[in-house]
Amino acid sequence: MKQDLPQNDTSWRLKAIMGGSAGNLVEWYDWYAYSAFSLYFASTFFPDSNPTVQLINTAGIFAVGFLMRPIGGYIFGKLADTKGRKLSMTLSVLLMSFGSLLIAFLPGYNSIGIAAPILLLLARLLQGLSVGGEYGTSATYLSEVATEKRRGFYSSFQYVTLIGGQLIALGLQLILQNIFLTDKQMHDWGWRIPFVLGAILSLVALYLRAHLNETEAFQTKELTTKKKGSLRELLKHPKAIMVVIGLTLGGTLAFYTYTTYMQKFLVNTVGLTKYQSTLLTFCSLLIFALLQPVFGAISDKVGRRPLLISFGVLGTIFTYPLLSTLSHTTEMWGAFGLLMAALIIVSGYTSINAVVKAELFPVEVRALGVGLPYSLTVAIFGGTAEYLALWAKNLGHESYYYWYVTACIFISLIIYIKMQDTKHTSLIDKS
């Protein structure tokens, strides 16, 4: 049944954006808690004496979890396009909660043997399914509830909360490390706390999403069920699909390199302590999150394409020098400056990528069009970032990874140069 929505009511719009963003924050907190605390639970599930090998194993499961994201992008994207954005977002956060609970109470290798890493893998597959559906649906929801002139600004809050999920995970880690638990306690059982908390927060997100209104764009479009959310209908937009893949390629790899992998890089390569690495990562991500609305607002003034091209050019030129210099840095705050330079560059992509993708597709396949090709690209390139970086380090040729990131950003740059500016060709306003 169609709801009567106060679409011109600013308070309603802000409530919708806050509700959608809060659920997104909880989803990504659950997802990133695995990466943030893997330094502590790697030995629980993989009893190898080599710390790098243990991290490679946990990074491998992190990467495999990404393989479920395209499936989640399809299932939840189709659900969002046929039954509504609200229902899809609500179900995805429920699934994430179950995955977090499973990890929280999972026995280690010494208790149940090979079943421990297998069940860990199962939990990550469930979380991958959930977060794969979250991106496309929340990007669509936030883009549709925003006003035309401030769409870049409002939709940027998807990455504010995405990064915010990492911040909560890292903040909790800092508190546990320095106030409540010893290093041994963190390794023994303390790493389970964030997953219990994640399951609890998911219930809060569930409540918020249950009270959201459906978007006007979805409700006012009269379409047959067969046309809504169908793969056949999506394939009628091959150019838009390829643009999503191309613009995501370099951006997602850079994002996962400077956020998810960076905490391990600072310990394993730079030589910082776990505490220093966590603190530095937390501070840089906090500033990174605050930058997203700024860049989003800029895109509302100058367009999306200039920001994407800036990221592509600067990323191609400076990725190798930044990572190479960072790897030889011995001073903590010197490393912080280099990392912030990298994150400012990446903001040209992260702040607006969600709205750009949403603006490429008509309402009947918007959530599916945003979620599925994005999830495929992230699964292949973002999900393997940690694994490939650690693999290159283990081979003794870590710089190979720096060139790999550079090459992927350059490929995306070509797409940015050739694509139209979606601010001026947006299909959201034609819904």
Side-chain angles (χ1 to χ4, degrees), residues 134-147:
E134 171 66 23
Y135 177 89
T137 308
S138 62
T140 298
Y141 185 84
L142 292 175
S143 297
E144 288 180 347
V145 299
T147 57

Side-chain angles (χ1 to χ4, degrees), residues 66 69 248 252 256 349 373-384:
F66 276 77
R69 289 178 63 164
T248 302
T252 192
Y256 279 100
Y349 164 80
Y374 165 82
S375 296
L376 282 168
T377 311
V378 172
I380 297 170
F381 296 96
T384 58

Side-chain angles (χ1 to χ4, degrees), residues 30 40 42 74 100 108 133 140 172 207 222 225 277 307 360 391 430:
D30 285 334
Y40 292 101
Y74 173 75
S100 291
T140 298
L172 178 61
Y207 172 81
E222 296 297 331
T225 303
S277 169
L307 270 68
L360 287 167
W391 179 71
K430 299 176 183 178

Side-chain angles (χ1 to χ4, degrees), residues 269-287:
T269 297
V270 179
L272 300 182
T273 65
K274 290 176 183 177
Y275 168 72
Q276 288 176 320
S277 169
T278 305
L279 178 62
L280 193 155
T281 304
F282 180 87
C283 292
S284 61
L285 286 179
L286 178 60
I287 299 173

Side-chain angles (χ1 to χ4, degrees), residues 227 230-241 361 365:
K227 191 175 182 182
S230 70
L231 194 57
R232 177 177 294 182
E233 190 66 25
L234 176 62
L235 293 176
K236 292 179 181 179
H237 306 276
K239 184 177 179 180
I241 293 172
F361 295 96
V365 289

Side-chain angles (χ1 to χ4, degrees), residues 132-422:
E134 171 66 23
Y135 177 89
T137 308
S138 62
T140 298
Y141 185 84
L142 292 175
S143 297
E144 288 180 347
V145 299
T147 57
E148 179 184 353
K149 292 183 179 180
R150 305 199 71 189
R151 189 167 289 135
F153 172 76
Y154 282 126
S155 64
S156 71
F157 282 89
Q158 185 187 37
Y159 258 77
V160 172
T161 51
L162 190 155
I163 299 164
Q166 289 180 272
L167 284 171
I168 293 176
L170 289 170
L172 178 61
Q173 189 175 17
L174 284 169
I175 292 171
L176 293 177
Q177 283 174 332
N178 298 284
I179 299 177
F180 294 109
L181 302 177
T182 64
D183 189 66
K184 184 178 186 304
Q185 289 173 324
M186 286 289 290
H187 280 87
D188 289 346
W189 55 269
W191 61 265
R192 298 182 184 274
I193 295 174
F195 297 103
V196 174
L197 179 62
I200 295 171
L201 288 175
S202 293
L203 296 178
V204 177
L206 178 64
Y207 172 81
L208 291 172
R209 287 189 163 176
H211 290 79
L212 290 177
N213 287 315
E214 189 53 82
T215 68
E216 184 182 37
F218 174 80
Q219 292 194 8
T220 58
K221 190 72 173 181
E222 296 297 331
L223 297 164
T224 64
T225 303
K226 288 184 179 180
K227 191 175 182 182
K228 283 184 178 180
S230 70
L231 194 57
R232 177 177 294 182
E233 190 66 25
L234 176 62
L235 293 176
K236 292 179 181 179
H237 306 276
K239 184 177 179 180
I241 293 172
M242 293 309 298
V243 169
V244 171
I245 292 172
L247 73 88
T248 302
L249 169 60
T252 192
L253 184 56
F255 174 76
Y256 279 100
T257 297
Y258 293 120
T259 58
T260 307
Y261 173 61
M262 190 48 55
Q263 191 182 9
K264 299 174 185 63
F265 181 84
L266 292 171
V267 173
N268 243 14
T269 297
V270 179
L272 300 182
T273 65
K274 290 176 183 177
Y275 168 72
Q276 288 176 320
S277 169
T278 305
L279 178 62
L280 193 155
T281 304
F282 180 87
C283 292
S284 61
L285 286 179
L286 178 60
I287 299 173
F288 185 40
L290 296 175
L291 287 174
Q292 302 311 297
V294 176
F295 278 76
I298 292 172
S299 80
D300 287 327
K301 299 293 185 182
V302 304
R304 324 294 187 212
R305 192 164 164 265
L307 270 68
L308 291 172
I309 291 176
S310 296
F311 158 67
V313 171
L314 295 175
T316 300
I317 295 172
F318 291 110
T319 293
Y320 184 90
L322 281 170
L323 287 173
S324 181
T325 304
L326 185 59
S327 69
H328 294 95
T329 300
T330 57
E331 204 270 320
M332 178 180 171
W333 295 111
F336 174 77
L338 291 168
L339 181 54
M340 276 313 310
L343 290 174
I344 290 171
I345 293 173
V346 177
S347 292
Y349 164 80
T350 54
S351 60
I352 59 169
N353 80 96
V355 69
V356 169
K357 293 161 191 171
E359 289 174 330
L360 287 167
F361 295 96
V363 64
E364 61 266 23
V365 289
R366 185 167 295 141
L368 183 61
V370 174
L372 181 56
Y374 165 82
S375 296
L376 282 168
T377 311
V378 172
I380 297 170
F381 296 96
T384 58
E386 272 195 16
Y387 189 88
L388 290 176
L390 290 166
W391 179 71
K393 178 177 176 59
N394 204 43
L395 288 178
H397 297 286
E398 194 166 19
S399 63
Y400 289 177
Y401 180 74
Y402 311 161
W403 287 117
Y404 167 65
V405 178
T406 299
C408 289
I409 294 175
F410 178 72
I411 293 171
S412 287
L413 173 60
I414 296 173
I415 302 299
Y416 303 151
I417 292 172
K418 292 186 175 183
M419 69 182 286
Q420 293 181 306
D421 196 320
T422 58

